[in-house]
């Protein structure tokens, strides 16, 4: 049953706001939360536009003298380790530390950990600052859980279901919601595990699809929703948008604007109709 009642059966029924599935999406568009992004320089534009498309406001503030200041007042913070320069590494630690102190929710995207030592060490330090959500591919999550040595650069060499136990253990150890991206996404808070069977292979043919998902998750957790529920709704909406965009675009170049259009147009009714959760 793909209705709000059906989604309530799949998730915990004590999420009051899930009684009306569109409430979190409506709150993002109504309040336009400010999302501070310390992110991959290769994908900055796509991340910012994806955040704008879902109704939030991106702020790409990632230098040491400013990052901590904004983290205190932002709606949420995204920390993405895609291209961690020395200044950005310092800014990430400052922003995450202030966010943890101020109660600002924040997302950690541990791009490329495992094989690459600088970002792996940085990710370990950031974990101590208690991210609200950890979003990565299967290999990255396995590394952070202490169960593997990494993927192929920024690409995963593990299947999502193979790291289910690692994701659960990481969530339990950190108190974060752990979101694992793959052909079927997996999201857990260490107690419940939700699988999202939506998405499209075209998302793997563009740079920044995972980075942008981290930004969308930050936007959804910024409006006060339960982090697990917000992450599931964000992940489902993003994956469904990918399906809708792929139906309009045959190649990667046309897929990117189609994806932004789909994110802008997505609504709760479409997410509930098309979402395939278990």
């Amino acid at each position: 049953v793909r209705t709000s009642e059906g989604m309530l059966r799949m998730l915990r029924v004590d999420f009051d706001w899930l009684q009306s599935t569109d409430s979190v999406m409506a709150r993002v568009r109504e309040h336009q939360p400010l999302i501070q992004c310390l992110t991959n320089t290769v994908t900055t534009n796509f991340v910012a536009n994806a955040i704008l498309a879902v109704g939030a406001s991106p702020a790409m503030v990632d230098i040491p003298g400013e990052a901590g200041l904004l983290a205190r007042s932002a709606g949420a913070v995204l920390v993405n380790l895609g291209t961690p320069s020395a200044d950005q590494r310092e800014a990430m630690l400052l922003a995450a530390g202030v966010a943890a102190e101020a109660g600002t929710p924040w997302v950690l995207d541990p791009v490329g950990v495992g094989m690459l030592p600088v970002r792996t060490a940085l990710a370990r330090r950031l974990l101590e600052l208690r991210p609200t959500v950890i979003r990565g591919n299967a290999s990255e999550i396995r590394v952070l859980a202490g169960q593997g040595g990494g993927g192929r650069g920024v690409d995963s060499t593990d299947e999502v279901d193979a790291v289910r136990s690692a994701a659960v253990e990481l969530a339990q150890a950190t108190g974060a919601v752990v979101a694992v991206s793959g052909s079927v996404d997996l999201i857990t808070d260490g107690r419940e595990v939700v699988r999202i069977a939506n998405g499209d292979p075209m998302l793997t043919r563009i740079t920044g699809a995972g980075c942008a998902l981290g930004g969308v998750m930050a936007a959804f957790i910024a409006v006060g929703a339960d982090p697990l529920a917000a992450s599931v709704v964000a992940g489902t909406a993003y994956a469904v948008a990918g399906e809708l965009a792929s139906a309009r675009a045959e190649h990667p170049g046309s897929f990117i604007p189609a994806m932004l259009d789909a994110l802008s147009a997505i609504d709760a009714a479409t997410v509930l109709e098309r979402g395939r959760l278990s």
Side-chain angles (χ1 to χ4, degrees), residues 36 38 67-79 91-107 126 129-132 221:
Q36 180 182 0
L38 302 91
L69 294 173
L70 188 61
R72 190 172 299 279
S73 58
V77 177
L78 169 65
V79 176
M92 288 173 174
L93 290 167
L94 287 169
V98 170
E101 176 186 312
T104 304
W106 69 282
V107 176
L126 287 166
L129 299 173
R130 313 295 286 186
T132 310
I221 65 171

Side-chain angles (χ1 to χ4, degrees), residues 9 13 35 54 65 100 112 123 131 138 151 169 174 177 185 188 241 248:
R9 293 195 193 105
V13 295
I35 310 303
V54 297
E169 290 178 18
T174 62
V177 169
D185 294 345
T188 181
R248 296 178 51 194

